[in-house]
């Protein structure tokens, strides 16, 4: 063990185990996770080779092999709990995407949530057993988040009781679905439903795409891999084009909307019911933001405790770079953000399951709110985590640029979350429109509940851009007051954005133009709303922490997260009359004080995430801190080092030199 890391762990003011229990949700969940980790760690089939020195085809093959083994292990263990399956999958595949990713997180849940009882038996059961392997084909070459713009058609033919799937244009080609390129033999295809001469909008259809047994593409289909991407090298993202392919009427997912044998369309009670799988995945992405950022923070903070460089005082030994305030100011707010997102992710999962139960009982009241909240938080957390991972890489200096640091792979894998399952800007705009609509309801006297209930506090008589009469935050160390500050900031921005939209409407602009021409301020309002929700979730989580030492350090992290957020957005808080300008200086000083409190606890706080060396895939972030000798050994494995002289020297350089 590196002595610097040993000393860091000895200085912690809390029991790391207790923090781990809090992060997992309970001691029981921690013990179960460790049990699954032990099964994987002791299995020779899952000793992880270094993927950095493999070609893309080799990485895909390794991922398929491990995915198949993972499924066999899940069957043997009888895993059925969704979260345990996610844990197990993450352990087997060290957190990277794989060819079965979409089958597990999209195809199977879609079948489970949108199938009729007959379809459940015909499709879900074989999919659960992996007798069929599926993907989710929604995005097209020309359209992504805008579902109404999808061009693939499914036209009902009542004479044969079949749907005819067709790709009428190049841009209607399905593009990006994971596992489509080579792995899947079925797909849930989202296409525009046409029946009795009318378009009924996008619906889901279960479509076989490859022959069972031979895996050859079926007639009328053009299917393949889209080629190398920025990341996701283990995944065969694919394309799919239909040439008047017929499928039985019963292959339309009909739990909510139906097409009867004669072509009569029976509409669902809500169009958003078909988006359940996307809502689930967006809710899970909030937790993924915490997980990927926590991996980057673990690497950067451990390495910063091991790396010694420069001088603080001339003539003294080189200090750990974690002793530099600039390094602390870069990393510790990101560490606090990781904890904040982790708790927000737990809340999101609870909200999803609660609202899903309500939907199954016929109560759809909270569905629009879940849609808006999951969209906004998906964008908010992935944007912050994405930039935070890159900050962690840069904080590791030149070595962070090497793949041996592990951070490049973390970054290229996670950054896709900013665009998949809904482009972030579109997601923020969806959330913003919900906020505008909600605030407009208060002007008509409607009382709001849930996450937007704070808009009830905006008086009908007070239609100015500020919210006068609200007290300033008097104690910047009081977390309850800071939650109020973030709430007031969000309310002020929602009111300001809504006023701008309303002013354009009063000038005769149509609603669509008014929203578009005020989209920048609307997105700022949605961002502030999400920020408020995260701060609120963090503070509420503290009330559940009974261990005094754990409560103290988590309170410090929570305070740092809130004050750093105010510092980065001080203009909003000043304009909203929430804070006085003199308080901003006090906040900057308090942030520096909090950095000093976190400094002796930083390594223990990242240890609490319990990311194994195998999961991190990082030489810099090793638990034992033995960085340099292992970096040297890692470099020796480069394929360029297989021979002392590369063949290109004899082919190109030697003739060049002989001609001089």
């Amino acid at each position: 063990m590196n002595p610097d890391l040993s000393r860091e762990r000895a200085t912690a003011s809390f029991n790391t185990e207790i923090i781990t229990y809090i992060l997992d949700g309970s001691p029981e969940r921690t013990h179960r996770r460790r049990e699954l980790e032990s099964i994987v760690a002791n299995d020779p089939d899952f000793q992880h080779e270094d993927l950095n020195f493999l070609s893309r085809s080799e990485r895909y093959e390794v991922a398929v092999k491990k995915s198949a083994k993972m499924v066999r292990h899940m069957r043997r263990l009888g895993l059925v709990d969704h979260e345990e399956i996610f844990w197990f999958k993450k352990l087997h595949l060290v957190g990277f995407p794989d060819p079965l990713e979409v089958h597990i997180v999209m195809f199977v849940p879609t079948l489970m949530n949108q199938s009729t009882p007959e379809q459940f038996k015909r499709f879900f059961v074989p999919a659960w057993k992996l007798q069929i392997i599926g993907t989710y084909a929604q995005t097209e070459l020309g359209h992504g988040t805008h579902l109404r713009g999808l061009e693939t058609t499914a036209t009902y033919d009542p004479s044969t009781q079949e749907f005819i799937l067709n790709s009428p244009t190049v841009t209607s080609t399905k593009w990006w679905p994971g596992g489509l390129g080579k792995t899947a033999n079925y797909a849930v295809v989202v296409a525009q439903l046409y029946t009795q001469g009318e378009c009924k909008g996008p619906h889901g259809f279960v479509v076989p795409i490859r022959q069972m047994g031979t895996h050859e593409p079926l007639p009328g289909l053009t299917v393949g891999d889209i080629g190398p991407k920025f990341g996701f090298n283990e995944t065969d993202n694919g394309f799919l084009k239909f040439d008047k392919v017929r499928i039985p009427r019963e292959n339309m997912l009909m739990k909510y909307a139906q097409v009867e044998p004669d072509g009569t369309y029976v509409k669902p009670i809500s169009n958003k019911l078909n988006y359940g799988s996307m809502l689930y995945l967006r809710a899970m992405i909030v937790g993924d933001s915490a997980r990927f950022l926590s991996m980057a923070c673990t690497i950067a903070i451990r390495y910063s405790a091991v790396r010694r460089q420069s001088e603080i005082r001339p003539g003294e030994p080189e200090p750990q770079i974690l002793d530099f305030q600039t390094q602390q100011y870069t990393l510790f707010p990101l560490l606090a953000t990781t904890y904040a997102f982790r708790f927000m992710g737990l809340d999101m999962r609870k909200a999803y399951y609660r609202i899903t139960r309500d939907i199954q009982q016929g109560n759809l009241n909270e569905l629009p709110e879940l849609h808006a909240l999951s969209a906004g938080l998906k964008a908010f957390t992935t944007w912050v985590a994405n930039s935070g991972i890159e900050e962690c890489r840069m904080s590791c200096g030149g070595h962070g640029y090497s793949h041996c640091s592990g951070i490049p792979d973390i970054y290229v894998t996670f950054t896709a979350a900013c665009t998949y399952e809904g482009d972030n800007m579109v997601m923020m705009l969806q959330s913003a429109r919900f906020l505008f609509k909600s605030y407009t309801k208060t002007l008509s006297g409607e009382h709001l509940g849930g996450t937007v209930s704070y808009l009830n506090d905006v008086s009908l008589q007070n239609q100015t851009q500020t919210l006068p009469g609200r007290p300033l935050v008097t104690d910047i160390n009081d977390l309850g007051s800071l939650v109020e500050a973030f709430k007031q900031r969000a309310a002020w921005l929602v009111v300001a954005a809504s006023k701008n939209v309303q002013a354009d409407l009063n000038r005769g602009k149509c609603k669509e133009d008014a929203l578009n021409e005020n989209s920048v301020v609307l997105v700022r309002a949605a961002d502030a709303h999400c920020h408020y929700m995260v701060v609120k979730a963090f503070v509420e989580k503290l009330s559940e922490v009974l261990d005094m030492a754990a409560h103290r350090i988590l309170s410090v992290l929570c305070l740092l997260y809130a004050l750093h957020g105010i510092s980065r957005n001080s203009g909003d808080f000043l304009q909203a009359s929430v804070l006085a300008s003199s308080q901003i200086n006090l906040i900057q000083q308090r942030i520096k004080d909090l950095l000093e409190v976190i400094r002796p606890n930083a390594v223990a706080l990242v240890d609490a995430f319990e990311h194994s060396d195998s999961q991190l895939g990082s030489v810099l972030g090793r638990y034992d801190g033995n960085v340099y000798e292992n970096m040297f050994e890692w470099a020796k494995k480069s394929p360029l080092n297989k021979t002392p002289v590369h063949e290109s020297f004899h082919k190109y350089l030697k003739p060049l030199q002989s001609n001089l």
Side-chain angles (χ1 to χ4, degrees):
M1 185 69 66
N2 181 288
D4 284 331
L5 277 185
S6 296
R7 282 191 294 271
E8 294 290 337
R9 291 179 174 122
T11 63
S13 64
F14 59 91
N15 184 339
T16 306
E17 183 102 337
I18 292 174
I19 299 291
T20 302
Y21 293 160
I22 295 167
L23 288 169
D24 284 336
S26 70
E28 294 74 24
R29 286 170 57 83
T30 296
H31 297 321
R32 178 56 172 163
R33 175 179 55 76
R34 288 174 178 170
E35 180 183 358
L36 295 176
E37 287 178 351
S38 178
I39 292 171
V40 176
N42 295 319
D43 190 330
D45 282 345
F46 292 98
Q47 300 307 306
H48 298 293
E49 52 273 85
D50 194 320
L51 300 179
N52 288 297
F53 301 130
L54 302 181
S55 68
R56 179 167 179 251
S57 179
E58 290 169 332
R59 290 176 76 143
Y60 169 72
E61 183 173 353
V62 167
V64 171
K65 179 180 71 173
K66 289 188 176 181
S67 295
K69 290 181 178 179
M70 174 192 69
V71 170
R72 285 197 291 269
H73 281 239
M74 286 196 299
R75 289 173 177 169
R76 179 173 57 82
L77 294 169
L79 294 183
V80 294
D81 180 83
H82 283 295
E83 293 192 29
E84 289 193 357
I85 289 172
F86 276 116
W87 283 343
F88 205 62
K89 180 178 176 299
K90 179 186 72 174
L91 295 167
H92 278 75
L93 301 160
V94 293
F96 295 115
D98 72 284
L100 294 182
E101 177 101 2
V102 177
H103 174 86
I104 294 172
V105 304
M106 285 293 286
F107 184 72
V108 170
T110 299
L111 295 178
M112 181 172 64
N113 294 324
Q114 297 185 31
S115 293
T116 63
E118 183 275 332
Q119 290 173 328
F120 188 91
K121 181 178 180 181
R122 186 157 49 101
F123 295 126
F124 175 83
V125 174
W128 182 254
K129 296 178 180 179
L130 262 88
Q131 293 168 343
I132 62 176
I133 299 172
T135 186
Y136 191 86
Q138 175 175 292
T139 300
E140 297 175 356
L141 193 55
H143 286 89
T145 308
H146 182 54
L147 297 186
R148 293 192 302 275
L150 295 178
E151 298 178 82
T152 301
T153 59
T155 304
Y156 184 63
D157 180 355
S159 66
T160 61
Q161 295 192 23
E162 293 175 314
F163 287 102
I164 306 169
L165 277 85
N166 196 46
S167 304
T169 63
V170 171
T171 51
S172 67
T173 305
K174 294 297 179 183
W175 199 271
W176 279 114
L180 175 61
K182 293 294 178 184
T183 308
N185 53 20
Y186 267 76
V188 168
V189 176
V190 180
Q192 300 287 359
L193 167 62
Y194 283 84
T195 184
Q196 296 181 338
E198 295 182 1
C199 179
K200 301 299 182 180
H203 289 69
F205 302 83
V206 182
V207 183
I209 57 176
R210 288 184 169 94
Q211 292 278 3
M212 300 297 289
T214 67
H215 211 59
E216 292 288 336
L218 289 168
L221 298 175
T222 304
V223 60
D225 178 80
I226 67 171
K229 292 93 52 183
F230 189 45
F232 276 61
N233 290 309
E234 298 79 22
T235 304
D236 54 324
N237 298 84
F239 60 79
L240 177 62
K241 192 171 175 60
F242 299 95
D243 183 10
K244 299 175 182 175
V245 174
R246 289 178 173 265
I247 59 171
R249 180 184 70 89
E250 294 80 10
N251 280 32
M252 173 183 164
L253 290 170
M254 293 199 196
K255 182 175 182 179
Y256 301 116
Q258 295 96 37
V259 171
E260 295 179 348
D262 65 354
T264 301
Y265 178 71
V266 181
K267 67 179 182 179
I269 54 177
S270 171
N271 290 330
K272 289 185 172 62
L273 288 171
N274 289 327
Y275 303 156
S277 298
M278 288 187 294
L279 295 179
Y280 173 71
L281 200 52
R282 287 170 187 167
M284 295 298 292
I285 288 172
V286 176
D288 266 353
S289 297
R291 181 166 66 88
F292 279 87
L293 183 56
S294 71
M295 293 168 69
C297 283
T298 299
I299 294 167
I301 288 175
R302 284 179 181 169
Y303 177 63
S304 296
V306 170
R307 181 74 170 182
R308 291 178 172 271
Q309 189 162 295
S310 304
E311 298 174 337
I312 294 179
R313 299 184 186 90
E316 291 190 357
E318 291 184 304
Q320 298 160 279
I321 60 174
L322 200 55
D323 288 335
F324 288 96
Q325 189 184 75
T326 50
Q327 192 78 343
Q328 296 170 18
Y329 190 78
T330 297
L331 295 177
F332 293 172
L334 293 175
L335 177 61
T337 300
T338 297
Y339 275 80
F341 287 1
R342 183 67 166 260
F343 299 140
M344 187 73 250
L346 291 174
D347 280 2
M348 281 294 295
R349 286 203 295 273
K350 291 177 184 176
Y352 173 82
Y353 290 127
R354 174 177 54 79
I355 294 173
T356 298
R357 286 193 297 270
D358 290 345
I359 291 171
Q360 291 171 348
Q361 295 170 6
N363 180 3
L364 307 181
N365 294 337
E366 292 188 80
L367 184 58
E369 182 178 358
L370 176 62
H371 186 271
L373 182 63
S374 64
L377 283 171
K378 182 264 182 188
F380 179 80
T381 57
T382 55
W383 266 333
V384 172
N386 187 59
S387 62
I389 293 166
E390 173 65 359
E391 286 187 77
C392 287
R393 182 193 67 78
M394 290 189 288
S395 75
C396 293
H399 292 328
Y401 190 67
S402 170
H403 269 277
C404 79
S405 74
I407 299 180
D409 275 332
I410 294 171
Y411 181 81
V412 299
T413 299
F414 180 76
T415 193
C418 293
T419 46
Y420 66 56
E421 298 316 314
D423 175 83
N424 276 2
M425 191 59 73
V426 177
M427 294 295 95
M428 272 298 188
L429 286 168
Q430 288 182 2
S431 184
R433 291 188 185 105
F434 174 76
L435 292 171
F436 169 72
K437 184 177 180 180
S438 298
Y439 174 66
T440 303
K441 289 179 179 179
T442 68
L443 301 181
S444 302
E446 186 172 335
H447 187 80
L448 303 176
T451 60
V452 292
S453 59
Y454 65 91
L455 294 176
N456 295 319
D457 299 335
V458 181
S459 169
L460 281 172
Q461 288 75 36
N462 176 27
Q463 296 301 305
T464 61
Q465 287 196 6
T466 60
L467 301 175
R470 294 183 180 275
L472 296 174
V473 173
T474 56
D475 183 0
I476 62 170
N477 294 296
D478 180 62
L479 290 171
S481 295
L482 294 178
V483 171
E484 182 68 17
F486 276 89
K487 182 175 77 173
Q488 291 185 28
R489 173 206 176 207
W492 177 77
L493 282 167
V494 171
V495 171
S498 300
K499 276 200 62 179
N500 289 350
V501 174
Q502 190 59 52
D504 280 346
L505 292 173
N506 294 340
R507 284 192 287 268
K509 291 186 178 180
C510 68
K511 183 179 179 181
E512 292 75 17
D513 286 344
L515 288 170
N516 179 54
E517 292 174 18
N518 291 283
S519 56
V520 172
V521 290
L522 283 166
V523 166
R524 282 185 63 207
D527 183 271
H529 172 75
C530 293
H531 208 162
Y532 159 60
M533 295 304 301
V534 175
V535 172
K536 182 171 177 283
F538 202 158
V539 173
E540 289 176 348
K541 186 66 179 179
L542 292 175
S543 65
E544 303 173 14
V545 180
L546 303 180
D547 181 86
M548 292 300 294
H551 190 280
R552 278 194 299 272
I553 192 62
L554 289 177
S555 296
V556 170
L557 285 174
C558 184
L559 186 57
L560 177 61
Y561 178 74
L563 294 181
H564 188 260
I566 292 174
S567 176
R568 296 287 292 269
N569 301 279
S570 57
D572 291 345
F573 291 90
L574 292 173
Q575 284 184 285
S577 302
V578 176
L579 291 168
S581 58
S582 59
Q583 290 177 298
I584 302 300
N585 291 330
L586 293 176
I587 287 172
Q588 294 287 7
Q589 181 56 51
R590 187 66 179 121
I591 288 173
K592 291 191 288 185
D593 296 338
L594 295 173
L595 298 180
E596 293 182 7
V597 178
I598 294 172
R599 170 63 188 86
N601 293 288
V603 169
L605 283 167
V606 296
D607 283 351
F609 298 132
E610 292 199 347
H611 294 305
S612 68
D613 286 350
S614 176
Q615 291 166 358
L616 290 177
S618 171
V619 175
L620 302 191
R622 292 171 58 94
Y623 184 84
D624 63 15
N626 295 322
V627 172
Y628 302 118
E629 51 268 63
N630 284 288
M631 277 190 74
F632 192 41
E633 291 303 315
W634 182 87
K636 291 178 183 178
K637 297 175 184 177
S638 170
L640 288 176
N641 293 324
K642 286 184 177 180
T643 59
V645 179
H646 195 268
E647 61 182 12
S648 63
F649 171 78
H650 298 288
K651 287 182 178 180
Y652 309 113
L653 296 180
K654 188 174 181 179
L656 183 65
Q657 292 172 341
S658 65
N659 291 332
L660 294 178

